[in-house]
Amino acid sequence: MRRNFYAQLPLHLLIWPGFAIVFVYHYLPMFGIVMAFERYVPTKGFWGSDWVGLSNFKYVFSLPDTYQVFRNTFLIAVMKIAAGIAVPLVMALLLNEVRKETFKRAVQTMVYLPHFLSWTILGGILLDILSPADGIVNQLIEALGLKPVFFLGDNRWFPFVLVLSNEWKEFGFSAIVYIAALAGINPNLYEAAAIDGAGRLRQLWHVTLPGIRPIVVLLVTLSLGQVLNAGFEQIFVLYSPVVYESGDIIDTMVYRMGLVGMQYSPAAAIGLLKSVVSLVLISTSYYLAYRFVNYRIF
């Protein structure tokens, strides 16, 4: 054991910087959870503020916008999860049918690029593209004889803009998992299917899709833990008070209430509630992943 310890000591030392970062930025701030049960006053601190029990939670649920915010968060997150499974899967299947490696790699590189751009940059691009005055999308709409649409200022369109722009940014990078799964399918299965007279569509249905089905089921199951994560950075960059009705989510509400409105305790109560629900969903998703596809983290 002593010999193994000294042999593995450099590897253990490599863990400590990451452990220190996680501890400082993820575990130490958890002491702030106590604010959710207090009438927190910064000058009094955690231990000097008055204890109010569940009053902050009652106050949060008495607000007229709370249920709308939870509804928006759930709907936007579910739409993003559905699109985040379907679009990369279709992209990977299409790329898998391409035989020219040069063209295939060029397409992969182009669809990967938006993933590495921040939402600050992409938000500016979307503002220009979707502008009701001179945006290219509305110019095309007007060319068809239709009225321009204010995509970022219309509650009917804003959630779909969020989902589509998120997929534009992420679908290329998300397809990597499916491309890797497709590469692991035994080529002999395609040869056997071709000998039996199966065309490309039959091979896709009877060989390709069954071959990647475990990965698809796994990703769908694990995505359950993200039901309350609708994407703060994207929405914060794109939304405005005009579309609060359809675009305001839990994270943006916490930001406005806690950092802008300085209502620290109610904001902490909402954040704690979201964390508890997310913990339950993540635990459930990992259990289902182990139950159906034998996926285990530990």
Side-chain angles (χ1 to χ4, degrees):
M1 292 180 62
R2 185 179 302 172
R3 190 181 303 113
N4 289 336
F5 174 77
Y6 286 110
Q8 298 175 5
L9 182 59
L11 300 178
H12 288 284
L13 292 177
L14 288 174
I15 295 176
W16 280 101
F19 174 78
I21 291 174
V22 172
F23 180 76
V24 170
Y25 290 102
H26 289 80
Y27 284 92
L28 284 182
M30 290 180 67
F31 289 104
I33 290 175
V34 71
M35 286 193 300
F37 305 96
E38 295 179 334
R39 187 175 291 107
Y40 178 71
V41 179
T43 55
K44 294 182 179 180
F46 292 145
W47 313 120
S49 300
D50 297 331
W51 186 267
V52 296
L54 299 178
S55 296
N56 290 316
F57 295 91
K58 295 178 181 178
Y59 168 73
V60 166
F61 282 106
S62 67
L63 297 175
D65 298 333
T66 300
Y67 293 99
Q68 182 69 41
V69 166
F70 274 85
R71 174 182 170 274
N72 292 341
T73 304
F74 178 78
L75 290 178
I76 293 173
V78 168
M79 287 192 295
K80 284 186 175 181
I81 290 172
I85 296 295
V87 177
L89 176 59
V90 173
M91 182 65 185
L93 293 174
L94 292 175
L95 286 176
N96 189 56
E97 298 299 320
V98 176
R99 292 294 173 258
K100 288 188 176 182
E101 288 296 325
T102 304
F103 177 76
K104 184 176 181 179
R105 291 174 182 175
V107 172
Q108 286 178 321
T109 302
M110 287 189 293
V111 298
Y112 291 165
L113 288 178
H115 170 78
F116 300 100
L117 299 177
S118 70
W119 274 114
T120 304
I121 297 174
L122 291 179
I125 295 173
L126 287 172
L127 287 174
D128 290 335
I129 293 176
L130 301 177
S131 171
D134 53 5
I136 186 173
V137 174
N138 276 303
Q139 288 181 10
L140 293 175
I141 292 176
E142 289 181 331
L144 296 174
L146 302 176
K147 294 182 179 180
V149 179
F150 190 10
F151 290 99
L152 298 179
D154 191 328
N155 284 298
R156 295 172 299 175
W157 288 101
F158 188 71
F160 299 102
V161 171
L162 294 176
V163 175
L164 293 176
S165 59
N166 183 73
E167 282 312 300
W168 171 44
K169 183 177 187 296
E170 300 294 345
F171 83 95
F173 192 80
S174 301
I176 293 176
V177 178
Y178 298 110
I179 293 174
L182 291 169
I185 298 177
N186 190 345
N188 294 331
L189 296 176
Y190 291 104
E191 295 177 4
I195 292 173
D196 290 338
R200 299 302 301 175
L201 291 178
R202 285 289 183 181
Q203 292 178 31
L204 173 67
W205 184 258
H206 294 287
V207 178
T208 304
L209 291 180
I212 63 174
R213 182 170 54 192
I215 296 297
V216 176
V217 174
L218 174 62
L219 293 178
V220 170
T221 304
L222 295 180
S223 65
L224 294 177
Q226 305 299 318
V227 167
L228 292 184
N229 291 324
F232 168 77
E233 185 180 0
Q234 177 197 17
I235 296 177
F236 183 73
V237 169
L238 295 177
Y239 86 147
S240 63
V242 180
V243 290
Y244 278 177
E245 181 183 343
S246 63
D248 198 16
I249 61 172
I250 296 174
D251 292 333
T252 54
M253 183 180 184
V254 170
Y255 168 79
R256 291 198 317 277
M257 183 177 289
L259 296 181
V260 179
M262 292 185 293
Q263 294 179 284
Y264 303 111
S265 294
I270 299 176
L272 177 58
L273 181 63
K274 176 192 171 184
S275 298
V276 171
V277 175
S278 297
L279 176 62
V280 173
L281 292 174
I282 290 174
S283 301
T284 303
S285 67
Y286 284 144
Y287 170 76
L288 294 175
Y290 170 68
R291 183 75 170 78
F292 292 108
V293 293
N294 199 29
Y295 172 84
R296 302 189 68 172
I297 301 177
F298 305 109

